[in-house]
Amino acid sequence: DTEVTQTPKHLVMGMTNKKSLKCEQHMGHRAMYWYKQKAKKPPELMFVYSYEKLSINESVPSRFSPECPNSSLLNLHLHALQPEDSALYLCASSQDPSGELFFGEGSRLTVL
Amino acid sequence: QKEVEQDPGPLSVPEGAIVSLNCTYSNSAFQYFMWYRQYSRKGPELLMYTYSSGNKEDGRFTAQVDKSSKYISLFIRDSQPSDSATYLCAIQNAGNNRKLIWGLGTSLAVNP
């Protein structure tokens, strides 16, 4: 079982909704990541938090807003999404920004 | 030329076969090599992490790195139907905030 926990597992939202995805890890890792994955494609990096500070933003639209309340938690706030944003959103963590990544099970998002 | 090349398959083998999965990469600065397994609708699971040329074995899995040829492989011995999944290679360069460069993933089916 993965030690990176993501909630919810499934989310359906309209284009005017505001929702959040949550991620938690208790491995003492200091780097956390959000990835987006479309069907039959590899994961695409969205954001990296290193020691609770945003260190990488891969030019993600502002309708996605990350937040790292503490070293164990990572949120992704969603607002005014488009149907093409429907995807599997993966959270990952690593011991530090240079280590191997461990992924959660993902949150499958559908935007209507 | 893509930074990481991986044949997407699909690859279909009988149970018990030895499976060979491969990636090539173009940048000799890449130093860290990972293989992930991803079941349908689940997050990627780290199988192997290596950083030196040669072989690394873990149970039925062997990861092989040839830095001189910029070629990495994952071998699965005595393949099982439960090994049916997509296998993704991911490669990092050295330095801080190492970003993963992903292969497209190879879809594997092991038939009973």
Side-chain angles (χ1 to χ4, degrees):
Chain A
D1 285 343
T2 181
E3 294 185 69
V4 178
T5 304
Q6 290 187 243
T7 56
K9 286 187 170 32
H10 301 276
L11 179 62
V12 179
M13 59 187 291
M15 289 190 285
T16 58
N17 291 158
K18 281 186 181 182
K19 297 284 185 185
S20 296
L21 305 180
K22 297 185 183 302
C23 176
E24 188 170 6
Q25 58 88 13
H26 292 289
M27 294 181 281
H29 288 177
R30 303 312 303 269
M32 295 186 76
Y33 309 76
W34 280 115
Y35 278 83
K36 173 183 175 180
Q37 188 177 28
K38 296 282 234 181
K40 298 191 186 303
K41 298 284 189 184
E44 292 176 52
L45 182 64
M46 299 175 73
F47 302 103
V48 180
Y49 274 83
S50 176
Y51 298 92
E52 299 166 49
K53 289 188 177 1
L54 183 64
S55 61
I56 294 177
N57 176 341
E58 290 287 307
S59 303
V60 178
S62 60
R63 57 186 185 268
F64 295 92
S65 175
E67 179 196 16
C68 188
N70 61 54
S71 60
S72 300
L73 293 173
L74 187 65
N75 299 322
L76 186 63
H77 303 297
L78 314 170
H79 175 53
L81 295 193
Q82 305 296 309
E84 59 264 29
D85 296 322
S86 298
L88 182 68
Y89 287 84
L90 295 161
C91 175
S93 70
S94 61
Q95 189 166 13
D96 55 49
S98 59
E100 63 268 44
L101 271 63
F102 295 89
F103 284 85
E105 295 284 355
S107 293
R108 183 158 299 279
L109 173 67
T110 302
V111 182
L112 301 176
Chain B
Q1 182 187 8
K2 286 185 181 175
E3 289 187 284
V4 178
E5 302 263 13
Q6 182 178 11
D7 185 342
L11 184 60
S12 182
V13 301
E15 184 175 353
I18 296 174
V19 176
S20 172
L21 304 163
N22 310 296
C23 288
T24 58
Y25 61 96
S26 58
N27 190 339
S28 57
F30 291 151
Q31 297 287 333
Y32 303 89
F33 308 94
M34 280 153 273
W35 284 97
Y36 285 87
R37 175 176 65 194
Q38 187 171 24
Y39 293 113
S40 180
R41 297 180 169 266
K42 299 287 189 183
E45 175 192 4
L46 181 65
L47 287 177
M48 303 290 274
Y49 176 68
T50 61
Y51 49 83
S52 55
S53 281
N55 293 351
K56 180 178 180 180
E57 192 173 314
D58 184 1
R60 294 184 297 111
F61 299 92
T62 299
Q64 188 175 80
V65 174
D66 182 346
K67 288 190 178 181
S68 62
S69 302
K70 301 193 189 70
Y71 191 88
I72 64 171
S73 300
L74 179 71
F75 298 97
I76 308 175
R77 287 186 300 281
D78 187 26
S79 56
Q80 303 295 310
S82 58
D83 295 326
S84 299
T86 296
Y87 290 80
L88 297 127
C89 65
I91 301 177
Q92 282 176 324
N93 59 352
N96 295 327
N97 285 329
R98 296 181 211 154
K99 190 174 163 180
L100 286 184
I101 312 296
W102 294 85
L104 287 179
T106 300
S107 176
L108 171 67
V110 181
N111 305 304

